[in-house]
Amino acid sequence: MDQLIQEFKNSGSFGAGRLAGACDIYEKMVRDKECTIFLALSGAVVPAGMRTLVTDLIRSRLVDVIVSTGASMVHDAIEALNGHHYKGNVIVDDRELYKYHIFRIYDVFVPEEDYVRLDYAFAEMYREIAAEKKGESLSSNEFAWELGKRLKDPNSILRAAYEEEVPIFMPAVRDSEFGFIHWLHASQENQKNILQVDAFKDVPQLCGICGKSPKNGMIVIGGGVPRNAVQSAAIASKKGLDYAVVITMDRPETGGLSGSTLRETVSWGKVKSEADKGMVIGDALIIFPIIVASVVERLGAKFRRTPYLKRGKLAHGE
Amino acid sequence: MDQLIQEFKNSGSFGAGRLAGACDIYEKMVRDKECTIFLALSGAVVPAGMRTLVTDLIRSRLVDVIVSTGASMVHDAIEALNGHHYKGNVIVDDRELYKYHIFRIYDVFVPEEDYVRLDYAFAEMYREIAAEKKGESLSSNEFAWELGKRLKDPNSILRAAYEEEVPIFMPAVRDSEFGFIHWLHASQENQKNILQVDAFKDVPQLCGICGKSPKNGMIVIGGGVPRNAVQSAAIASKKGLDYAVVITMDRPETGGLSGSTLRETVSWGKVKSEADKGMVIGDALIIFPIIVASVVERLGAKFRRTPYLKRGKLAHGE
Amino acid sequence: MDQLIQEFKNSGSFGAGRLAGACDIYEKMVRDKECTIFLALSGAVVPAGMRTLVTDLIRSRLVDVIVSTGASMVHDAIEALNGHHYKGNVIVDDRELYKYHIFRIYDVFVPEEDYVRLDYAFAEMYREIAAEKKGESLSSNEFAWELGKRLKDPNSILRAAYEEEVPIFMPAVRDSEFGFIHWLHASQENQKNILQVDAFKDVPQLCGICGKSPKNGMIVIGGGVPRNAVQSAAIASKKGLDYAVVITMDRPETGGLSGSTLRETVSWGKVKSEADKGMVIGDALIIFPIIVASVVERLGAKFRRTPYLKRGKLAHGE
Amino acid sequence: MDQLIQEFKNSGSFGAGRLAGACDIYEKMVRDKECTIFLALSGAVVPAGMRTLVTDLIRSRLVDVIVSTGASMVHDAIEALNGHHYKGNVIVDDRELYKYHIFRIYDVFVPEEDYVRLDYAFAEMYREIAAEKKGESLSSNEFAWELGKRLKDPNSILRAAYEEEVPIFMPAVRDSEFGFIHWLHASQENQKNILQVDAFKDVPQLCGICGKSPKNGMIVIGGGVPRNAVQSAAIASKKGLDYAVVITMDRPETGGLSGSTLRETVSWGKVKSEADKGMVIGDALIIFPIIVASVVERLGAKFRRTPYLKRGKLAHGE
C-alpha cells in the first residue's frame, strides 16, 4: 500500500500529492510524543464498514480522542446489539422498503427492528445510569463511556473507547436516535429521576484536553459538528492545532464549515499557520482506510504508541 | 422574478425544473392551512446576508419553526451587538488576518473584537438567565428565546423569533461560540448557579410540534444537524413530512445525511411517499432568496398567513 | 429580477455576491463597444430549455460568437426537425426505455426516432453540401452555417446564427451524432465526393476574431472543450480576455479545465490580470437565465447593441 | 494493496464498495479473451504523474485503445521533449507567474519555454508528415501515431502507443496546443502543402474496432469528449459496452455527460443492461492508480494478456 503512496508523493501534485501529504502528516502526529490526536467522525462511518478500523485505532492508541455525531455511535450500538447494516441497493422503491420496515442509508439497509431493539435496550440503560448518577448531569463523553461500559461487543467503538479510556465527545448527541430514546425513557419513567445530559458540560472537558496537551492534531472524516467542535476547542484553549488532515467532498464556496479550507482556519487561530496541514478532496470512506494502511505499514509491526496524556488525565480533561 | 420561474416550470427539467418545483412546494406549504413550516438553517446564512430575509419570514409568519446551527445564531447575535460581517476576499494571507485579529469565513471578514464583545455581553446574559431560572434546565429553544428577549435589534433573528413566538431549536447549541461563552460564564461564576441547558429537553418539544400539527413541511438550507433534527422529529412523532424542499450542494454517494435524497427519507418514514418534495442542487444562499421572492410575488401584497399552531402552543410543543 | 440581484450585490459575498458580480460583468461586456462576446456552451443546454434563450441572444446581438459541443447543436437540429425533448423522470427503468427506444438525458426523454429522422435528413444535407463544395474542406463554423442555412425553424440556434452571421464553432464536432451521420453519409456515397471537414481549419478563424477585436469577453456554460477553445484563442492571438464569466459546478482540485479558476488562467495569459472576471459555482441552467434576465432588465427595452466586428468580418475571422 | 480492496469488497457499500467493484470489473475485462479495452483520458493525467502508468498499461497490453483529449497528448509530448511539469503551489500570485512566463495547472507549473520548444519542434514534424502524406487527410489516431513515430522517449504515451500499435484517438485534437501548432505550421508553409487532419475520419475507425470486437469495455478517467466518443462508438457499432468503469467527480444533476450515470447509458444502448458496470465518485488521479495496482497484483507477475484484435486490425479498425 505504502509503495503506491510513495509514488503519489513523488508526483506530489493534485489529489495524489495531497493524499501522500496526508499520510505524512498522520505519521508525524503518531510519532510526535507530545501530540494528542483527535479523530472527528461524521457521515456513514459504521454502515460503510469502518467500525473495526476505528476500534483498532482506539485499541492501538493511534487516536486519543474521538468527536462524533450521535448517529455514528447509534450505528455502533446497533451492531453491538447484533443488529446489522446490510448491503442493499440504491435503486430500489423506497415505498416498498417502508412497507417492509427497512431503513435505507444510500446503498445500505437496516431493519427497523434493529432500531426498536436498540430503543428498548438503551432506555433501560438510561434508567440504570440515571439511577446510579442520582440527578448528576453528565457530559456527552461521560455519557458515551457509561454506554460503552454496558456493551459487551469487543468490536464496539463505544466499548473500546470505554476500556481504553479514550473519550468520545458527541456535541450534538441529541440529534440522533439517542435523543428519541431519551424521550422514550422519560415517558417510561414519568419524567422522574431521568437521565440528565448537560448541553455544555463537555466544552471545558474538550478544551481542557487541548489545553493540557503540548501539541494537538486532528483528522476529520467529512466535517460538520465534529470538525467544528475540535477546531473550536483548539481556539478556546488558545493552542491552535499543530497538525490537521481533513478528508471531505464538500466545497468551500458556499461558506459552510465542512468544506472550508485549512488556510481559512489560520485566520481564526484554529490551526497554526506553521502547522502541518492538508485537505484531501474525496470520499473519506475510501481515503481514510488508505491513509491508515499506509501509516501502519510505515510504523511497522513492533511500533507501540504511548499517548502524552495519561488515561485518567484524558478522561475529563483533568 | 416569478416570470422566470414560470419559464423554468415550462421546461420542467434539470435544475431549472427542480427550482420551479421547489417554489410550487413552498407555495403549497404556505397556503395549506394545516401545515406547520420548519426552516432548517446551516451554513453561512447570516454572513451571506440572509439575516433580514429570515427575520422577514418570521415576522410575516411564512415559517413557523426554525432549527439552526448554533453558529448562525451567534452570527445573528454579533450583528445585534453592532458587529459586522465585512465583504472580504478569498485570496488573502490568512497569517496576516490572524496577526490583525480578523476572522475569515470564505470571503467575509469578522473582527475578533466583535466576538470578544459578544463573549462578555452574553456571559452577562447567561448570568442573568441563570439567576432567573434558579437551577431549572432549559431546552435549546427556551434558551434561544431568553437570548432574543435580551436583544434590542429588531432585525435580529433571535429577537424576531422571541417576539413572534417562533421557536428556534439549536440541537448542537454547544458547538458554537455559545459553548465557549458558557465556559467563560462558568469560570466567572466559579461554577456556581450557572446556566443549565439540557441536551435532550428540546427533543419532545420539537416532536410535539410535529405531532400536534396535522401536516408538516420543511425547507432545508444546506443540511447537517438541522435537517436531521427535523426529519427525526417527523419520524419520532409518527407523522412523516407532507412537504419537503432541500437546497444543497452535498452529494448522496458518500452516505452523509446532508446530501441524502428525499427518496431515501421515504424508507424511514421521515417524509411521506406521497409528499410534495424536491431537492435543488445549488448554493442555498442564491437559491433560497429566489424561491422566497417567487413565492412572495405569487402570494401578493395582501396575503396574510395564519399558522395552524397558535403562539402559546408552538412555544413548547404543548 | 434585477432587484434581487442588487440585494445580492449589497451583501456581496459567497455565491450571491459572485452571481451579482457576474451580472455586472456581462452588462459591461454588452455596453463596451469594443468588446466581442464569446458564449461557450456545454452540457444539456437545449434539453434543459435554454434553446430560445440562446436564439434570442443571437438575434439581439447580445453574443457575437458561439463555441459549442457538437451535441448541443444536434439537440437544436432535432428540435428544428420537429423532434422533442420530453419531460421525463430520473427514476425509471432504463432497460424499459431501451426496449421502447427512448433515450434518457437525466430527466429528459428523447425518442430514438427523432435521432433516426435527423440521421437521414442530415445525411442528405451532407450530400448536398459536399456537392456544392466540390471537395473543399470546411471549418466547423462554416459547416454550422451550412446546416443553419438548410433549417427552416426560426427558433433554431443554427438557423439564427446563420441568419445573423454569428459564427458557431464546434471544436469537437465529430464527437456527436454529426460524426455518426458522417459515417452514414460516407456509406451512402460509397466514400466518394463526401463532405470534408478539416479538424484544424477553424483554429485561425477563432483566433482571428479575437485578434481583430480590441477587447474580448467570454461567458462559459459548464466548461469542457468550448471553454478551452475560447481561452486558447485568446492566448494564441496574444490578446487575453478582458471579461470572463464562468458558470460551473466542476471543482478545481482535480486539475481538469472545466473547474479551473479564472485566477489560474491569468498565469497563461488566457485572461488578463486586470480583466473583469468571476466564477459562479452553480447549475448553469439555472444561473445563466438569471444573469440574462437581470442584464436585459438593466439594458431596457430600447437598448440596441452594435457589435464591433461587422457581419462579414466575423464570418471567417477575416 | 489488493488486501485493502478485498476489505472494501466485504463491506461492499458506498464508495469503498464501488471501488472494489471497479477493480473486479477491470480484472474481468482483462481476463475476458474477447474483450477490447478502451481507456478514455481527460483531465490532468500527465501533470498529475500518471504518464508512466498509462505507458505501462499500453506496453503490457492491459489497454487496447486510448481515447484522449488533445491536451493530455500535448503534456506527454512536452515531457518527451525534456519539458517538465513542476510541483508548484496553488496559492501563488498568478500575475507573478505570468510575468515569469510560467503556466499554472492547479498546483503544477510548466515553463512557457517548454511550450515554445514544443511549438517549433512539432511544427517541423507537421511539415515532415505533410510532405510524406502528400495531401492525404489523416484521422486523429493516424496523426497520433505519426507523432509517436517521431518521438524518442520510451516513456512517452504517444511513443509507446505507436510502438505497440495501440490506437490513440483524439476526437477534439484541435482543442489543444496541437491546434495552435497547426496554425504556426500553416503560416510557416504559407498555407501550402500543409498537414491535413480530417475531423470525421476517425469515426468509422473507432466504431470499426468496437464492431469487430466480440466484447468491449471502457475505463473512463474524468469524462468529457473521450467518454462520449467511446460510448458513441459502442452505440454506432450496435454493440453496446459489456464492461464500464467511470471515475469522476462530476455529478449527474446538471445533465452534462461527464457526470451522467451508467444506468442512463443503458437507455441509449451505449452500455448493455447486463454489462458489468460501476462508477466511482472520486479523484481519478487517486482512484485509477489504486485500481490498476490492485488488478495487477491479482494478475500476478507471470500474467500476459493477448488482445483479441491483432495489431494490424486495431490500427484502422480494419
Side-chain angles (χ1 to χ4, degrees):
Chain A
M1 182 74 240
D2 193 47
Q3 187 186 337
L4 183 65
I5 298 297
Q6 294 303 332
E7 285 170 29
F8 284 169
K9 189 172 175 177
N10 291 341
S11 105
S13 304
F14 302 100
R18 283 190 298 266
L19 171 54
C23 293
D24 287 353
I25 297 168
Y26 183 34
E27 185 191 3
K28 279 192 191 174
M29 282 191 223
V30 169
R31 293 193 190 279
D32 185 332
K33 292 187 191 311
E34 298 191 314
C35 179
T36 297
I37 304 174
F38 295 78
L39 177 64
L41 297 177
S42 70
V45 171
V46 171
M50 286 196 351
R51 190 181 183 232
T52 51
L53 178 65
V54 174
T55 305
D56 288 350
L57 290 175
I58 290 171
R59 294 209 186 275
S60 57
R61 307 307 300 242
L62 296 178
V63 299
D64 295 313
V65 180
I66 288 178
V67 184
S68 175
T69 58
S72 283
M73 294 308 111
V74 166
H75 298 153
D76 176 66
I78 281 177
E79 299 207 354
L81 299 182
N82 295 312
H84 290 289
H85 292 91
Y86 295 96
K87 172 86 191 88
N89 194 327
V90 73
I91 296 301
V92 70
D93 187 336
D94 287 278
R95 293 168 300 182
E96 290 293 306
L97 292 183
Y98 177 70
K99 204 185 297 175
Y100 291 109
H101 299 270
I102 293 168
F103 297 162
R104 183 164 74 85
I105 306 171
Y106 193 64
D107 60 0
V108 160
F109 293 163
V110 196
E112 186 181 2
E113 61 176 296
D114 287 359
Y115 273 84
V116 175
R117 189 190 313 124
L118 176 80
D119 292 345
Y120 287 92
F122 269 51
E124 175 58 25
M125 276 191 204
Y126 281 30
R127 199 191 56 73
E128 196 181 302
I129 300 168
E132 279 183 29
K133 294 296 170 184
K134 298 184 170 57
E136 182 198 343
S137 215
L138 304 183
S139 67
S140 71
N141 53 319
E142 291 162 353
F143 175 56
W145 279 2
E146 290 294 333
L147 297 176
K149 183 158 68 172
R150 286 162 174 83
L151 293 171
K152 305 221 159 22
D153 179 5
N155 293 319
S156 160
I157 298 172
L158 283 164
R159 177 73 199 177
Y162 165 70
E163 290 181 2
E164 302 293 335
E165 294 189 17
V166 163
I168 295 189
F169 292 88
M170 298 184 285
V173 60
R174 156 255 182 283
D175 181 46
S176 68
E177 195 73 5
F178 291 148
F180 173 74
I181 296 169
H182 193 273
W183 189 24
L184 174 65
H185 153 68
S187 311
Q188 289 178 338
E189 311 300 319
N190 284 316
Q191 316 299 331
K192 282 177 198 140
N193 305 318
I194 60 175
L195 171 69
Q196 308 284 333
V197 174
D198 188 287
F200 290 121
K201 193 178 175 190
D202 63 10
V203 175
Q205 294 175 348
L206 185 55
C207 296
I209 295 172
C210 280
K212 284 198 310 292
S213 182
K215 293 189 189 163
N216 294 287
M218 77 172 176
I219 301 173
V220 176
I221 307 300
V225 164
R227 174 176 170 185
N228 198 40
V230 177
Q231 293 187 167
S232 296
I235 189 175
S237 60
K238 299 192 193 305
K239 303 293 287 235
L241 294 159
D242 302 86
Y243 303 97
V245 169
V246 173
I247 313 165
T248 193
M249 288 191 86
D250 290 349
R251 30 194 320 167
E253 292 90 352
T254 61
L257 179 106
S258 301
S260 65
T261 61
L262 285 167
R263 207 162 54 77
E264 178 178 318
T265 62
V266 168
S267 74
W268 295 76
K270 294 168 180 172
V271 175
K272 289 180 182 168
S273 67
E274 69 273 22
D276 279 307
K277 56 183 180 293
M279 212 154 163
V280 184
I281 308 304
D283 188 334
L285 310 177
I286 296 175
I287 300 297
F288 184 56
I290 291 175
I291 293 175
V292 172
S294 170
V295 170
V296 165
E297 198 178 320
R298 295 177 193 187
L299 296 172
K302 293 187 186 161
F303 180 85
R304 292 292 172 276
R305 178 167 174 272
T306 308
Y308 178 84
L309 289 181
K310 294 307 167 286
R311 295 194 160 208
K313 297 259 178 192
L314 264 168
H316 304 114
E318 281 153 19
Chain B
M1 182 74 240
D2 193 48
Q3 187 187 335
L4 183 64
I5 297 297
Q6 295 302 332
E7 285 170 29
F8 283 169
K9 190 172 174 175
N10 291 340
S11 104
S13 303
F14 302 99
R18 283 191 299 267
L19 172 54
C23 294
D24 287 354
I25 297 168
Y26 183 34
E27 185 190 4
K28 279 191 192 174
M29 282 191 224
V30 169
R31 293 193 189 277
D32 185 332
K33 292 186 192 313
E34 298 192 314
C35 179
T36 297
I37 305 174
F38 295 78
L39 177 63
L41 298 177
S42 70
V45 171
V46 170
M50 283 192 358
R51 189 180 184 231
T52 51
L53 177 66
V54 175
T55 304
D56 287 350
L57 290 175
I58 290 171
R59 294 208 185 275
S60 56
R61 308 306 301 239
L62 295 178
V63 299
D64 295 312
V65 180
I66 288 178
V67 184
S68 173
T69 58
S72 283
M73 294 307 111
V74 166
H75 298 152
D76 175 67
I78 281 176
E79 298 207 355
L81 300 182
N82 294 311
H84 291 289
H85 292 91
Y86 295 96
K87 173 86 192 86
N89 195 327
V90 73
I91 296 301
V92 70
D93 187 336
D94 288 278
R95 293 168 300 183
E96 290 293 306
L97 292 182
Y98 178 70
K99 204 185 296 174
Y100 291 108
H101 299 270
I102 293 169
F103 298 162
R104 181 163 74 85
I105 306 171
Y106 194 65
D107 60 359
V108 160
F109 293 163
V110 196
E112 187 181 3
E113 61 176 295
D114 286 358
Y115 274 83
V116 174
R117 189 190 313 123
L118 176 80
D119 292 345
Y120 287 93
F122 268 52
E124 174 58 23
M125 276 192 204
Y126 281 30
R127 198 191 56 72
E128 195 180 304
I129 300 167
E132 279 183 29
K133 295 296 169 184
K134 297 181 177 25
E136 183 197 343
S137 214
L138 305 183
S139 67
S140 71
N141 53 319
E142 291 162 353
F143 176 56
W145 279 2
E146 290 294 333
L147 297 176
K149 183 158 68 172
R150 286 163 174 83
L151 293 171
K152 306 223 159 20
D153 178 5
N155 294 320
S156 160
I157 298 172
L158 284 164
R159 177 72 199 178
Y162 165 73
E163 290 181 1
E164 302 294 334
E165 295 190 18
V166 164
I168 295 189
F169 292 88
M170 298 184 285
V173 60
R174 155 256 182 281
D175 182 46
S176 67
E177 195 73 5
F178 290 147
F180 173 75
I181 296 169
H182 193 273
W183 188 24
L184 175 65
H185 154 67
S187 311
Q188 289 177 339
E189 311 300 320
N190 283 316
Q191 318 299 331
K192 282 175 197 140
N193 305 319
I194 61 175
L195 171 68
Q196 308 284 332
V197 175
D198 187 287
F200 290 121
K201 193 178 174 189
D202 63 10
V203 175
Q205 294 176 347
L206 185 56
C207 296
I209 295 172
C210 280
K212 283 197 313 291
S213 182
K215 291 190 191 163
N216 294 287
M218 78 171 176
I219 301 172
V220 176
I221 307 299
V225 165
R227 174 176 170 185
N228 197 41
V230 177
Q231 295 188 166
S232 296
I235 189 175
S237 61
K238 298 190 194 305
K239 302 293 287 236
L241 293 160
D242 301 87
Y243 303 97
V245 170
V246 173
I247 314 164
T248 192
M249 288 189 88
D250 290 350
R251 25 191 328 164
E253 294 89 352
T254 61
L257 179 106
S258 301
S260 65
T261 61
L262 285 168
R263 208 162 55 76
E264 178 179 317
T265 62
V266 169
S267 73
W268 295 76
K270 294 168 181 172
V271 175
K272 290 180 182 167
S273 67
E274 68 273 22
D276 279 307
K277 55 184 182 290
M279 212 155 162
V280 185
I281 308 304
D283 188 334
L285 310 176
I286 296 176
I287 300 297
F288 185 56
I290 290 175
I291 293 175
V292 171
S294 170
V295 170
V296 164
E297 199 178 320
R298 294 176 193 189
L299 296 173
K302 293 187 185 162
F303 180 86
R304 291 293 173 273
R305 177 167 175 272
T306 309
Y308 178 84
L309 290 180
K310 295 306 167 288
R311 296 195 158 207
K313 297 258 177 193
L314 264 170
H316 304 113
E318 282 152 19
Chain C
M1 182 73 240
D2 193 47
Q3 187 186 336
L4 183 65
I5 297 298
Q6 295 302 332
E7 285 170 28
F8 284 169
K9 189 172 175 177
N10 291 340
S11 104
S13 304
F14 302 100
R18 284 191 296 266
L19 171 55
C23 294
D24 288 353
I25 297 168
Y26 183 34
E27 186 192 2
K28 279 193 192 173
M29 283 191 221
V30 169
R31 293 194 190 277
D32 185 332
K33 293 186 191 313
E34 297 191 315
C35 179
T36 297
I37 304 175
F38 295 78
L39 177 64
L41 298 177
S42 70
V45 171
V46 171
M50 285 195 352
R51 189 180 184 233
T52 51
L53 177 66
V54 175
T55 304
D56 288 350
L57 290 175
I58 290 171
R59 294 208 186 276
S60 57
R61 307 308 299 240
L62 295 179
V63 298
D64 295 312
V65 179
I66 288 177
V67 184
S68 175
T69 58
S72 283
M73 294 308 111
V74 166
H75 299 153
D76 175 68
I78 281 176
E79 298 207 355
L81 299 182
N82 295 311
H84 290 288
H85 292 91
Y86 295 95
K87 172 84 191 88
N89 195 327
V90 73
I91 296 301
V92 70
D93 187 336
D94 288 279
R95 292 167 301 182
E96 291 292 306
L97 292 182
Y98 178 69
K99 204 185 297 174
Y100 292 107
H101 299 271
I102 294 168
F103 297 161
R104 183 165 74 84
I105 306 171
Y106 193 63
D107 60 359
V108 160
F109 293 163
V110 196
E112 186 181 3
E113 61 177 294
D114 287 359
Y115 274 83
V116 174
R117 189 190 313 124
L118 177 80
D119 292 345
Y120 286 93
F122 268 52
E124 174 58 24
M125 277 192 203
Y126 281 31
R127 198 192 57 73
E128 196 181 302
I129 300 168
E132 280 184 29
K133 295 297 169 182
K134 298 182 170 49
E136 182 197 344
S137 215
L138 305 183
S139 67
S140 71
N141 53 320
E142 291 162 353
F143 175 57
W145 279 1
E146 290 294 333
L147 297 176
K149 182 159 69 172
R150 287 163 174 83
L151 293 171
K152 306 221 157 23
D153 178 5
N155 294 319
S156 160
I157 299 172
L158 284 164
R159 178 71 199 179
Y162 165 71
E163 290 181 1
E164 302 293 334
E165 293 189 18
V166 163
I168 295 189
F169 292 88
M170 298 184 284
V173 59
R174 156 256 181 280
D175 181 47
S176 68
E177 194 74 5
F178 291 148
F180 173 76
I181 296 169
H182 194 272
W183 189 25
L184 174 66
H185 153 68
S187 310
Q188 290 177 339
E189 310 301 319
N190 284 316
Q191 318 299 331
K192 281 176 197 137
N193 304 319
I194 61 175
L195 171 68
Q196 308 283 334
V197 174
D198 187 287
F200 289 120
K201 193 178 175 190
D202 63 10
V203 175
Q205 295 177 347
L206 185 55
C207 295
I209 295 173
C210 279
K212 283 197 312 292
S213 181
K215 291 189 190 163
N216 294 288
M218 78 171 174
I219 300 172
V220 176
I221 308 299
V225 165
R227 175 176 170 185
N228 198 40
V230 177
Q231 294 187 167
S232 296
I235 189 176
S237 61
K238 298 190 194 305
K239 302 292 287 236
L241 293 160
D242 301 86
Y243 303 97
V245 169
V246 173
I247 313 165
T248 193
M249 288 190 86
D250 290 350
R251 19 192 330 163
E253 293 89 353
T254 61
L257 180 106
S258 301
S260 66
T261 61
L262 285 167
R263 208 163 54 77
E264 178 178 317
T265 62
V266 168
S267 73
W268 295 76
K270 294 169 179 171
V271 175
K272 289 180 183 169
S273 68
E274 69 272 21
D276 278 307
K277 57 183 178 290
M279 210 154 163
V280 184
I281 309 304
D283 188 334
L285 311 177
I286 296 175
I287 300 297
F288 184 57
I290 291 175
I291 294 175
V292 172
S294 170
V295 171
V296 165
E297 199 179 320
R298 295 178 193 187
L299 296 173
K302 293 187 183 163
F303 180 85
R304 293 292 173 275
R305 178 168 174 271
T306 309
Y308 178 84
L309 289 181
K310 295 305 167 289
R311 297 194 159 207
K313 297 258 177 192
L314 265 168
H316 304 113
E318 280 153 19
Chain D
M1 183 73 241
D2 193 46
Q3 187 187 337
L4 183 66
I5 297 297
Q6 294 303 332
E7 284 170 29
F8 283 169
K9 190 172 174 177
N10 291 340
S11 106
S13 304
F14 302 99
R18 283 191 297 267
L19 172 54
C23 294
D24 287 353
I25 296 168
Y26 184 33
E27 185 191 3
K28 279 192 192 174
M29 282 192 222
V30 168
R31 293 194 189 277
D32 186 332
K33 292 186 191 312
E34 297 192 314
C35 179
T36 297
I37 304 174
F38 295 78
L39 177 63
L41 297 177
S42 70
V45 170
V46 170
M50 284 195 353
R51 189 180 184 231
T52 51
L53 178 66
V54 174
T55 304
D56 287 350
L57 290 175
I58 290 171
R59 294 210 186 274
S60 57
R61 306 307 300 240
L62 295 179
V63 298
D64 295 312
V65 179
I66 288 177
V67 183
S68 174
T69 58
S72 283
M73 294 307 111
V74 166
H75 299 153
D76 175 68
I78 282 176
E79 298 207 355
L81 300 182
N82 294 312
H84 290 289
H85 293 91
Y86 295 95
K87 172 86 189 88
N89 195 327
V90 73
I91 297 301
V92 70
D93 187 336
D94 287 279
R95 293 167 300 183
E96 290 294 305
L97 293 183
Y98 178 69
K99 204 186 297 175
Y100 291 108
H101 300 271
I102 294 168
F103 297 161
R104 182 165 75 85
I105 306 172
Y106 194 64
D107 61 358
V108 160
F109 293 163
V110 195
E112 186 180 3
E113 61 176 293
D114 287 358
Y115 274 83
V116 175
R117 189 191 313 124
L118 176 80
D119 292 344
Y120 287 92
F122 268 52
E124 174 59 25
M125 277 192 204
Y126 281 30
R127 199 192 56 72
E128 194 181 303
I129 299 168
E132 279 183 29
K133 294 297 169 183
K134 298 183 169 58
E136 182 197 343
S137 214
L138 304 184
S139 67
S140 71
N141 54 320
E142 291 162 354
F143 176 57
W145 279 2
E146 290 295 332
L147 297 177
K149 183 159 67 173
R150 287 163 174 82
L151 293 172
K152 306 223 157 19
D153 178 5
N155 293 320
S156 160
I157 298 173
L158 285 163
R159 177 72 199 180
Y162 165 72
E163 290 181 2
E164 302 293 333
E165 294 189 17
V166 164
I168 294 188
F169 292 88
M170 298 183 285
V173 60
R174 156 254 181 280
D175 182 46
S176 67
E177 194 74 5
F178 290 148
F180 173 75
I181 295 169
H182 192 273
W183 189 24
L184 175 65
H185 153 67
S187 310
Q188 290 177 339
E189 310 301 319
N190 283 317
Q191 317 299 332
K192 282 176 197 139
N193 305 319
I194 61 176
L195 171 68
Q196 307 284 333
V197 174
D198 187 288
F200 290 121
K201 193 178 175 190
D202 63 10
V203 175
Q205 294 176 348
L206 185 56
C207 295
I209 294 173
C210 280
K212 283 197 313 291
S213 181
K215 292 190 190 162
N216 294 286
M218 77 171 175
I219 301 173
V220 176
I221 307 300
V225 164
R227 174 177 170 185
N228 197 40
V230 177
Q231 294 187 165
S232 297
I235 189 175
S237 60
K238 299 190 194 305
K239 302 292 287 237
L241 293 160
D242 301 86
Y243 303 97
V245 169
V246 173
I247 313 164
T248 192
M249 289 189 88
D250 289 350
R251 20 191 331 163
E253 294 89 352
T254 60
L257 179 105
S258 301
S260 65
T261 61
L262 285 168
R263 207 162 56 75
E264 178 178 318
T265 62
V266 168
S267 74
W268 295 76
K270 294 169 180 171
V271 175
K272 290 180 181 169
S273 68
E274 69 273 21
D276 278 306
K277 55 183 179 290
M279 211 154 163
V280 184
I281 309 304
D283 188 334
L285 311 177
I286 296 176
I287 300 296
F288 185 56
I290 290 175
I291 293 176
V292 172
S294 171
V295 171
V296 165
E297 198 178 321
R298 295 177 193 188
L299 296 173
K302 293 187 183 161
F303 180 85
R304 292 292 173 275
R305 177 167 175 271
T306 310
Y308 178 85
L309 289 180
K310 295 306 167 288
R311 297 194 158 208
K313 297 258 177 191
L314 265 169
H316 305 112
E318 281 151 20

